[in-house]
Amino acid sequence: MPWKAIGIFDSGVGGLTVLKEIIKVLPQEDTIYLGDTARVPYGTKSPETVTRYSLEIASFLVKRDIKLLVVACNTASAASLEALTERLPIPVVGVIEPGARRAVATTRTGKVGVIGTEGTIRSSAYAKAIKRLNPEVEVITRACPLFVPLAEEGWTDNEVAHLTARTYLAGLREQGVDTIVLGCTHYPLLKRVIGETVGEDVRLVDSAEETARTVADILRGRDLLRPDGEQGNHHFFVTDVPAGFIRVGNRFIGGRLGDVYQVSLDAEKERP
């Protein structure tokens, strides 16, 4: 069992920031990543549709003998985590609960900001998770949709990025927020400009980092970690032509992805 891979999926490239943190924390582990690039974005789709997509992807990854599944997508974490946990025989980790847990532990004023895509903010998933952990924490949310194309274009530290960050985030400081959750897997690429905009006294919670720590804790607790000193291998699959994923993905992972294979999830349903 320890020699099996960690499975990770997202609607596209954003989950690669989660994969990057997992590799940093657990360099000895093999990973299998699937980006559902043929059906991105998930945020505009119904929870029922997102859950169906997530179960199809989980089936694909489980057939490849994974030992843990990471739902590296905020929308899928909000919509399908319960269904995945009920149906799969392996641990399932989303990106929302780890970020919420760290935010509650970090805030000093009891005022937490959550920034994300319109779909994630509309779902109130982070606010609900934070309130479950501590009902006294005030949660102030802000949709920042333009951060996604900025991250994918590589415009993460120029005048456009700074202006966009100031436009979105100015109000959060005025409302007394001392902790901000980066509630989108694209946002770690903009961490520097976000931090400069809100100031050093506002702490940023990176859900990707917290998810990687959670994965490590679960595997360690179940004695499922590969030995230290091993070197993990990483495999990438997409559901559409790989070219765009590779171009943007190299930036997200901070290196070269290597081979990326296109697969058909419909064809996979026929596979035993």
Side-chain angles (χ1 to χ4, degrees):
M1 189 74 166
W3 295 94
K4 295 182 178 182
I6 298 168
I8 305 162
F9 81 88
D10 184 27
S11 57
V13 297
L16 291 174
T17 60
V18 180
L19 172 64
K20 181 179 179 180
E21 295 302 327
I22 289 173
I23 293 172
K24 189 183 299 182
V25 174
L26 299 171
Q28 74 271 34
E29 297 293 337
D30 289 350
T31 65
I32 304 173
Y33 182 99
L34 186 137
D36 193 8
T37 49
R39 302 186 292 199
V40 66
Y42 280 8
T44 57
K45 298 174 175 65
S46 70
E48 294 76 18
T49 297
V50 173
T51 297
R52 175 164 54 84
Y53 290 174
S54 299
L55 291 169
E56 291 172 1
I57 295 168
S59 175
F60 171 90
L61 292 169
V62 167
K63 286 176 182 176
R64 279 147 186 84
D65 217 20
I66 60 173
K67 60 185 175 184
L68 178 145
L69 178 66
V70 179
V71 186
C73 170
N74 284 275
T75 302
S77 292
S80 63
L81 200 65
E82 186 176 346
L84 289 166
T85 302
E86 288 175 356
R87 299 196 193 190
L88 298 185
I90 56 175
V92 181
V93 178
V95 290
I96 292 172
E97 193 72 25
R101 195 164 51 243
R102 176 60 64 182
V104 169
T106 300
T107 183
R108 305 174 305 281
T109 64
K111 291 187 177 183
V112 171
V114 176
I115 59 176
T117 64
E118 289 176 341
T120 296
I121 297 303
R122 190 168 56 246
S123 76
S124 300
Y126 276 98
K128 291 173 184 175
I130 290 168
K131 289 290 189 181
R132 279 196 303 271
L133 293 164
N134 185 346
E136 301 302 315
V137 173
E138 181 181 351
V139 182
I140 301 164
T141 60
R142 188 66 44 84
C144 306
L146 288 179
F147 281 169
V148 170
L150 286 174
E152 293 194 359
E153 193 62 35
W155 289 15
T156 56
D157 196 22
N158 62 10
E159 187 178 346
V160 176
H162 282 271
L163 178 60
T164 304
R166 287 197 298 272
T167 302
Y168 282 147
L169 305 177
L172 291 178
R173 273 191 65 112
E174 295 168 5
Q175 291 174 277
V177 163
D178 75 335
T179 303
I180 293 178
V181 180
L182 306 182
C184 173
T185 51
H186 283 65
Y187 292 4
L189 276 77
L190 291 148
K191 191 185 293 187
R192 178 176 173 181
V193 70
I194 292 170
E196 289 175 356
T197 301
V198 298
E200 59 184 20
D201 54 328
V202 177
R203 301 182 186 182
L204 301 184
V205 173
D206 185 340
S207 290
E209 291 179 355
E210 300 307 322
T211 301
R213 291 191 185 103
T214 299
V215 168
D217 288 344
I218 291 172
L219 293 180
R220 189 175 296 109
R222 299 187 180 214
D223 200 24
L224 293 177
L225 287 175
R226 290 178 54 170
D228 291 338
E230 295 290 331
Q231 187 61 45
N233 295 305
H234 310 291
H235 304 277
F236 302 92
F237 298 91
V238 291
T239 54
D240 203 356
V241 178
F245 178 87
I246 293 170
R247 179 181 61 82
V248 179
N250 286 338
R251 186 179 303 125
F252 275 52
I253 204 78
R256 292 192 60 80
L257 290 174
D259 293 331
V260 178
Y261 300 96
Q262 184 176 353
V263 294
S264 167
L265 293 177
D266 288 334
E268 281 289 321
K269 293 176 186 176
E270 309 301 322
R271 174 176 163 157

